[in-house]
Every structure is written in C-alpha cells, then in structure tokens.
Amino acid sequence: GQNIDQPTEMTATEGAIVQINCTYQTSGFNGLFWYQQHAGEAPTFLSYNVLDGLEEKGRFSSFLSRSKGYSYLLLKELQMKDSASYLCAVRVRGGNTGGFKTIFGAGTRLFVKA
Amino acid sequence: DTEVTQTPKHLVMGMTNKKSLKCEQHMGHRAMYWYKQKAKKPPELMFVYSYEKLSINESVPSRFSPECPNSSLLNLHLHALQPEDSALYLCASSPVGVGGNQPQHFGDGTRLSIL
C-alpha cells in the first residue's frame, strides 16, 4: 500500500526556523511535493524534489532522500502568515493508462506564535 | 485568486437533486483532477483526466460522474448524494509528463453541503 506520515501539529516562534518531516512508503515513486494550505483555501505549491538533495527557494527549502523514503520542509525566518497546514505529497504511477497520481499526507498544522 | 476557476463556490442540495460542479483552466494543462477534502483531512483523489480521457477513477461511487468536454473544462455531475458526501471539492490541473516539476494548480474549491 501507499503510506505517507508527517507530524500532526507543530508550534514555532516568529523569526525562528522549523523543519517539518515526512516519511513515505510508496511504489512507483516519481517525485515529492510540498503544498501549503491555509484554512478554507486551496493548496498552493511550495516545492518539488525528484532527486536526492536539497532544493532552496527563498525562505523555504526541501530535502529528499529516496533511499530512506524521507523528506523535510525547512521554513526560515518564520512569519505569522506561515501558520497553515503543510502537505507532503508523493506522485506515483497509477491507473490503467500508466498515468500519474498524487497521494497526499494528512498534513502538518503549523502554528507560528509571536 | 487562482488560475483554476471553480463554480459554484458554495452549493447546498438535497439528496434527490441533480447538480454539477464546474472547473476551468486556461494554462494549457492537459491533466485535470477532482479531489474531495473533508475538514482537517488531506485532499483525496477522485478522478484524473489526461488529454480529456479518464485515466484514473479511485473507486468513486457512481453518484459522482465526471466529464471533460474539452481541454479547458472539467465537470463533476452529482446525483442522489448522501450527507457524508458533504465536503470541499477541489479541482486541479497540471502539465502531463513523465518527469519534471509539474505541480498541480488547485482551484478554490466548491463547498458542498448535502441536506
């Protein structure tokens, strides 16, 4: 089966750094995404990893180790507006036509306090 | 505002009604998706269309019927829904391809309530 695990909730302080971990057990791995979702809004794309290593994008960085089935999202210089859910999502092969589908983890709710 | 437009934003319907959710994108994406999301839960994939053909159906009950009339539009026809079908229904689109950075772009969703 396909399984994605991430912590349910995290709390951090404004200006600090926070790391949100994600572990996955999937077949047909074809990339890992991180999305941000504010309550009542649509998920928005943050980062993508398909090869091992670190991808940096401004205040956000994401790391992937395919051999360990592990990724993390690193948020620096936290701001109050970063309070949201962070979804780890894995793209895998699926369907009869060999297409791809994305499986979402349950999400990590991040609370940023002053 | 997102580049994927969903209408209506809110829908309340009875269990015997027939209604449709609509999704539109003009980014040239040839893959489109329907997701169902319950409160405090992740999006759950329902259907995937690739080049206007249904490629994945995640064992969704037949009371949900998707339709992709052209490369920009995706509909979800609803009939005889149950109260447990109340949720946020998200549409998304992405380029089609084997690899590369192809994130999904999500619409704001339709919040559906079944009475």
Side-chain angles (χ1 to χ4, degrees):
Chain A
Q2 317 275 30
N3 192 51
I4 302 174
D5 289 312
Q6 48 183 133
T8 304
E9 288 185 359
M10 299 182 71
T11 300
T13 304
E14 193 175 18
I17 298 173
V18 71
Q19 178 174 313
I20 303 174
N21 296 323
C22 170
T23 57
Y24 62 91
Q25 299 89 38
T26 62
S27 57
F29 177 86
N30 191 255
L32 187 144
F33 298 87
W34 284 95
Y35 287 86
Q36 179 192 61
Q37 187 175 26
H38 286 96
E41 297 182 11
T44 55
F45 169 72
L46 291 178
S47 70
Y48 169 77
N49 296 74
V50 69
L51 299 177
D52 292 351
L54 188 68
E55 295 284 338
E56 297 188 79
K57 210 176 187 182
R59 293 193 298 116
F60 298 89
S61 303
S62 58
F63 171 83
L64 176 67
S65 169
R66 289 171 296 169
S67 62
K68 295 181 179 178
Y70 169 69
S71 173
Y72 67 72
L73 179 69
L74 194 70
L75 292 78
K76 304 175 187 175
E77 302 169 14
L78 279 175
Q79 302 174 10
M80 300 297 287
K81 67 178 182 179
D82 296 329
S83 294
S85 285
Y86 291 85
L87 304 168
C88 174
V90 176
R91 183 168 63 199
V92 299
R93 284 199 176 273
N96 297 327
T97 58
F100 294 90
K101 64 180 182 180
T102 302
I103 303 168
F104 285 83
T108 298
R109 296 178 70 197
L110 175 66
F111 299 94
V112 179
K113 57 182 183 179
Chain B
D1 287 343
T2 66
E3 296 168 310
V4 177
T5 303
Q6 289 188 243
T7 55
K9 292 192 182 305
H10 300 274
L11 179 62
V12 179
M13 58 187 286
M15 289 189 285
T16 58
N17 292 156
K18 286 185 181 181
K19 296 285 185 183
S20 296
L21 309 185
K22 298 187 182 300
C23 175
E24 187 170 3
Q25 57 88 15
H26 295 287
M27 294 178 282
H29 292 168
R30 301 304 293 275
M32 296 187 76
Y33 313 79
W34 279 116
Y35 288 87
K36 173 182 178 181
Q37 187 175 26
K38 292 279 213 180
K40 300 184 181 180
K41 297 289 186 183
E44 294 178 17
L45 183 66
M46 300 174 71
F47 302 103
V48 180
Y49 273 83
S50 179
Y51 295 105
E52 296 84 69
K53 294 193 186 312
L54 184 65
S55 65
I56 296 176
N57 176 343
E58 292 286 273
S59 302
V60 179
S62 60
R63 57 186 184 268
F64 295 92
S65 175
E67 178 197 20
C68 191
N70 61 54
S71 60
S72 300
L73 295 174
L74 184 67
N75 299 322
L76 186 63
H77 302 299
L78 315 173
H79 175 54
L81 294 194
Q82 303 297 310
E84 61 265 27
D85 296 324
S86 298
L88 180 68
Y89 288 83
L90 293 164
C91 173
S93 72
S94 74
V96 175
V98 175
N101 183 348
Q102 295 154 355
Q104 294 177 23
H105 296 252
F106 285 84
D108 288 333
T110 294
R111 192 160 296 282
L112 177 65
S113 297
I114 307 300
L115 302 179

